[in-house]
Amino acid sequence: MTALDALFAPRAIAVLGASATPGKLGAAMTDSLASFPGPVMKVNAGRPDSGLGFFPTIAEAAAAHGITPDLVVSCIPAAVTADALREAAAAGARAALVCAGGFAESGGDGALYHQALAEVVRDTGIRVLGPNTSGFLAPHQRLTASFVPGAADLEPGPVAVVAASGGVNHALAFALAEAGVGLRLGVGQGNSLDITQADVLNHLAEDDAVRAVALHVETAAEGRRLTEAVRRLADRVPVVALVVGRSDIGDFARSHTGALATSWRVTRTALRQAGAVLVDDERDLVDAVTALSRVRLPANARPGIGLVTAQAGPGLLLTDDLRSHGIQVPPLVERTVKELRELLPALTYLNNPVDTGRPSPALTQVVERVSEDPGVDVTAVYGLLEPTAVDLPAVLTAARIATPLVAVVGGPVEQARRTRRQLGEAGIPCAATPASGSVMVRALVEDAGARTRLEAADVTGPGTPTLPLPGPVDEHTAKGVLADLGIRTPARRVCAEPAAVHTALDELGGPVVVKILDAEILHKTEVGGVQVGIRTHQELDDALARMPTSPALLVEQMAPAGPELIVGVRRDPVFGPVLALGAGGTAAEILGDVSLRLAPLSAHEADTMLDELATREMFLGARNATPVDRARLTHVLLALSSLAADKTMAECEINPLRVLPDGDVVALDAALLLRDSRDQGGSDDA
């Protein structure tokens, strides 16, 4: 039992605004609910007709049927919805689906109607899905709370859809049906006045019949509550997420870190870190969830894929797409190759992918041998339907495979569709094209990797230092905080007058860098406030003459040349602390090469961030350069993450973080922004 059983598993339903007039929303909804096995009460306050089963109130309808409806489906206008649901709650209803639009999304009076409905939820405890949604589908309950034509014909199955949009919910449900996958529950959230995606995911976590979940996200106002629900669910079943808003740039203009982290990126980061598999469009969402509803790999950081193709060209397409996404297609061991030589013609390619030439009865044994190779965790097979050569479905279902199998089958449209359904019913995910097959394989691999990350998610890190009092923080103070966290910083001196600057040069030795020390200026190079490579007192005097006036100057030892990173942490208004690692220096925003994580994070998550950068080879020893000490870099990431435990921290950025010849890293510039005490309330997320 969950808090949403009254909505998704009601004993009886009442339709507000039920109608006998074709074309009316209330009529369409009543017709859709006709297959529901329990009582469906028709309520129409304006045109009651007991002879036709229309009652003026829910109370009278309940009395006539001898049962109180758990669920109310509201098909009445926004202006009268709140009062009607208050009456419904008083009559004993515990959940409501509100289909009408015209609430907060429309502005004007709609905002008032939205507020009135929110007050009903608060006062009565009735749970509300919507408003402004086309409803939900629960085929196993024979419950079609939707006015969309054809929705009642959807078959039950193991996949749940949780979509921000009612339209997307139905589109995905129909696409899954086309792929031969039945629906357990399909929910369109609408405005999410009360019931949110996190609520629905938590409900699904208690449903043992769910095998995979498709999640469509437009906004993520719930922040970490959503990610916590995804993580809880992903422990048991795979979650595939499609996040809308690739072009939405977050307004984080005060630092490079903020400028790099769009809300779309942060949302995807949060869901991936919680264990979701990410996809880029609705077609990939259907392919991925189809595969994961039939196969789930054990936790594995990098599963190996064995490929068998009966046609070389399509097999190359599949191989190339997998490898271009970083999927491991390892060479087969000599024992496997030897066994394959005994099964296949001499001219075929035998070392992953395995090219059989054409389908033949030997295909069963070929697939079995490849699946038994010690480097293979998933076996993928491509074949065209050639019934005169081999019965491909029979071959694949008869194979005694040592690993899960993914099939890609082409051929005449209807025959291929029947084959894909047949293989799907046998538990073998089957795609129509190499591209779709790659999506399926990648989904299995990414889910296995996500499970590995979740198992390693022991969050540890340096202690949190004492931060300065709220107010502007200059670079010297910021570096003091970093030093307290064990992050290396250059030797430096703070100087209030030119004579002290010359003394600092003597003490530190050249070359040095001289910077203005002004907490109000975050990007000093843009105002000429940084002078580098100073070795002599004459060069120092020339440099001082070029610099703008400043309350003080900072003199630092220059670090040896080396590649540069940017590391930062800031508080996202939705998800709370977000950590960023990217290519650093002045090119940070131009390159846009960044890896993100929510803080706090595990050492395992911190260590993997570098591998996500397009420029990672710069830091891994390219051109015989010393690679970065990953343990030291991980320490820096965890240290900045730990800063977020102090809620006075708004942002902290190191740019650049230079890699030294010994592999250690040093913070050459640092900015620390603190929150005003008045801004520290609200949710834990922010």
Side-chain angles (χ1 to χ4, degrees):
M1 295 290 290
T2 80
L4 300 187
D5 281 348
L7 176 67
F8 298 131
R11 296 167 300 167
I13 302 172
V15 180
L16 294 178
S19 174
T21 304
K24 293 275 191 178
L25 175 61
M29 185 63 76
T30 304
D31 289 344
S32 293
L33 291 168
S35 61
F36 180 66
V40 177
M41 309 170 195
K42 295 178 283 187
V43 178
N44 191 317
R47 295 184 178 181
D49 187 332
S50 58
L52 296 176
F54 289 87
F55 298 89
T57 66
I58 287 179
E60 293 181 53
H65 285 83
I67 187 173
T68 299
D70 293 315
L71 170 63
V72 173
V73 178
S74 176
C75 300
I76 58 180
V80 294
T81 298
D83 288 342
L85 290 197
R86 192 176 291 276
E87 293 178 7
R94 297 183 292 140
L97 165 65
V98 179
C99 299
F103 288 86
E105 81 283 357
S106 64
D109 289 342
L112 299 177
Y113 304 149
H114 185 97
Q115 179 60 33
L117 186 54
E119 290 173 359
V120 172
V121 171
R122 181 197 65 200
D123 295 344
T124 68
I126 192 171
R127 302 306 307 271
V128 171
L129 178 64
N132 192 25
T133 178
S134 51
F136 70 89
L137 315 166
H140 70 289
Q141 301 275 6
R142 291 163 55 195
L143 172 53
T144 307
S146 163
F147 50 82
V148 175
D153 298 328
L154 291 166
E155 295 291 330
V159 171
V161 175
V162 183
S165 155
V168 170
N169 172 45
H170 285 81
L172 292 175
F174 289 130
L176 286 166
E178 175 66 18
V181 180
L183 191 68
R184 179 66 176 179
L185 181 67
V187 182
Q189 298 288 146
N191 290 4
S192 295
L193 175 142
D194 172 39
I195 294 172
T196 65
Q197 291 188 314
D199 292 322
V200 179
L201 294 174
N202 284 328
H203 171 80
L204 293 172
E206 302 296 327
D207 188 345
D208 291 338
V210 174
R211 294 287 303 277
V213 176
L215 177 64
H216 162 258
V217 179
E218 290 180 353
T219 59
E222 299 174 272
R224 300 216 180 196
R225 186 168 179 268
L226 175 62
T227 58
E228 287 165 3
V230 169
R231 179 160 186 168
R232 178 188 178 205
L233 187 56
D235 282 340
R236 191 178 65 79
V237 297
V239 178
V240 183
L242 170 61
V243 181
V244 180
R246 185 190 303 265
S247 62
D248 179 23
I249 304 301
D251 184 18
F252 308 131
R254 289 214 62 187
S255 72
H256 287 297
T257 304
L260 288 169
T262 68
S263 60
W264 177 78
R265 278 177 169 169
V266 173
T267 302
R268 282 172 58 92
T269 292
L271 293 173
R272 180 181 181 275
Q273 198 170 335
V277 173
L278 300 178
V279 293
D280 293 326
D281 59 46
E282 69 282 1
R283 296 164 299 179
D284 289 357
L285 180 60
V286 170
D287 287 333
V289 82
T290 296
L292 285 164
S293 70
R294 291 168 175 153
V295 171
R296 196 178 200 196
L297 302 180
N300 188 332
R302 287 202 70 198
I305 311 303
L307 297 173
V308 178
T309 180
Q311 284 81 25
L316 286 172
L317 289 175
L318 179 57
T319 306
D320 186 50
D321 198 60
L322 289 174
R323 284 181 170 158
S324 69
H325 283 89
I327 305 300
Q328 185 174 216
V329 184
L332 303 176
V333 299
E334 181 56 35
R335 184 195 68 199
T336 305
V337 174
K338 181 180 179 181
E339 292 172 346
L340 292 174
R341 285 197 191 104
E342 298 173 358
L343 296 170
L344 293 171
L347 295 179
T348 56
Y349 186 78
L350 304 180
N351 203 3
N352 209 8
V354 176
D355 178 16
T356 66
R358 287 191 63 200
S360 73
L363 185 60
T364 298
Q365 293 173 281
V366 171
V367 171
E368 290 174 345
R369 298 293 83 75
V370 171
S371 77
E372 292 165 357
D373 189 272
V376 171
D377 300 288
V378 179
T379 306
V381 180
Y382 179 87
L384 288 175
L385 292 174
E386 299 185 49
T388 58
V390 66
D391 183 344
L392 189 59
V395 163
L396 296 181
T397 54
R400 297 179 180 179
I401 51 176
T403 69
L405 183 64
V406 175
V408 184
V409 174
V413 175
E414 289 302 323
Q415 188 178 352
R417 181 180 288 119
R418 287 195 300 271
T419 298
R420 289 193 292 272
R421 285 182 175 270
Q422 181 180 348
L423 291 174
E425 290 168 359
I428 301 172
C430 188
T433 65
S436 290
S438 175
V439 171
M440 288 186 171
V441 172
R442 281 155 38 204
L444 300 183
V445 169
E446 289 168 20
D447 177 65
R451 299 173 78 184
T452 302
R453 294 194 304 274
L454 293 178
E455 290 178 359
D458 179 22
V459 176
T460 58
T464 305
T466 301
L467 295 182
L469 294 175
V473 179
D474 63 32
E475 181 182 345
H476 174 65
T477 305
K479 285 180 173 174
V481 171
L482 298 180
D484 288 344
L485 288 167
I487 298 174
R488 185 170 174 177
T489 61
R492 60 190 180 277
R493 302 287 188 273
V494 175
C495 305
E497 55 186 9
V501 179
H502 283 275
T503 301
L505 174 59
D506 291 334
E507 293 175 351
L508 297 173
V512 299
V513 56
V514 181
K515 307 176 184 179
I516 58 174
L517 193 61
D518 188 335
E520 299 295 336
I521 301 176
L522 293 180
H523 304 300
K524 295 178 282 293
T525 56
E526 297 174 5
V527 297
V530 179
Q531 301 293 320
V532 301
I534 299 168
R535 297 176 182 273
T536 68
H537 289 283
Q538 182 58 54
E539 290 175 347
L540 179 56
D541 285 334
D542 293 342
L544 293 175
R546 293 191 297 268
M547 297 179 71
T549 59
S550 172
L553 295 171
L554 185 65
V555 184
E556 290 185 329
Q557 282 184 337
M558 283 194 64
E564 295 178 340
L565 291 156
I566 176 175
V567 183
V569 62
R570 67 168 179 85
R571 289 190 183 277
D572 181 83
V574 173
F575 287 102
V578 178
L579 192 69
L581 171 69
T586 57
E589 287 181 278
I590 297 172
L591 293 174
D593 185 23
V594 64
S595 173
L596 303 177
R597 292 292 188 278
L598 298 192
L601 72 165
S602 68
H604 177 78
E605 283 281 6
D607 183 65
T608 60
M609 292 178 71
L610 181 63
D611 296 322
E612 295 176 4
L613 300 183
T615 52
R616 59 187 173 273
E617 294 302 326
M618 292 173 54
F619 311 102
L620 295 175
R623 296 183 181 273
N624 297 318
T626 302
V628 65
D629 185 326
R630 295 188 71 128
R632 291 300 303 162
L633 179 58
T634 295
H635 175 85
V636 172
L637 292 166
L638 294 176
L640 285 196
S641 171
S642 72
L643 275 178
D646 189 325
K647 292 197 174 184
T648 63
M649 193 282 302
E651 297 185 29
C652 184
E653 175 186 290
I654 303 172
N655 185 25
L657 179 73
R658 181 169 292 175
V659 181
L660 299 175
D662 64 357
D664 199 358
V665 289
V666 59
L668 297 189
D669 197 2
L672 176 62
L673 301 179
L674 302 180
R675 304 166 85 191
D676 188 287
S677 58
R678 294 168 295 182
D679 299 329
Q680 294 170 32
S683 70
D684 291 339
D685 289 350

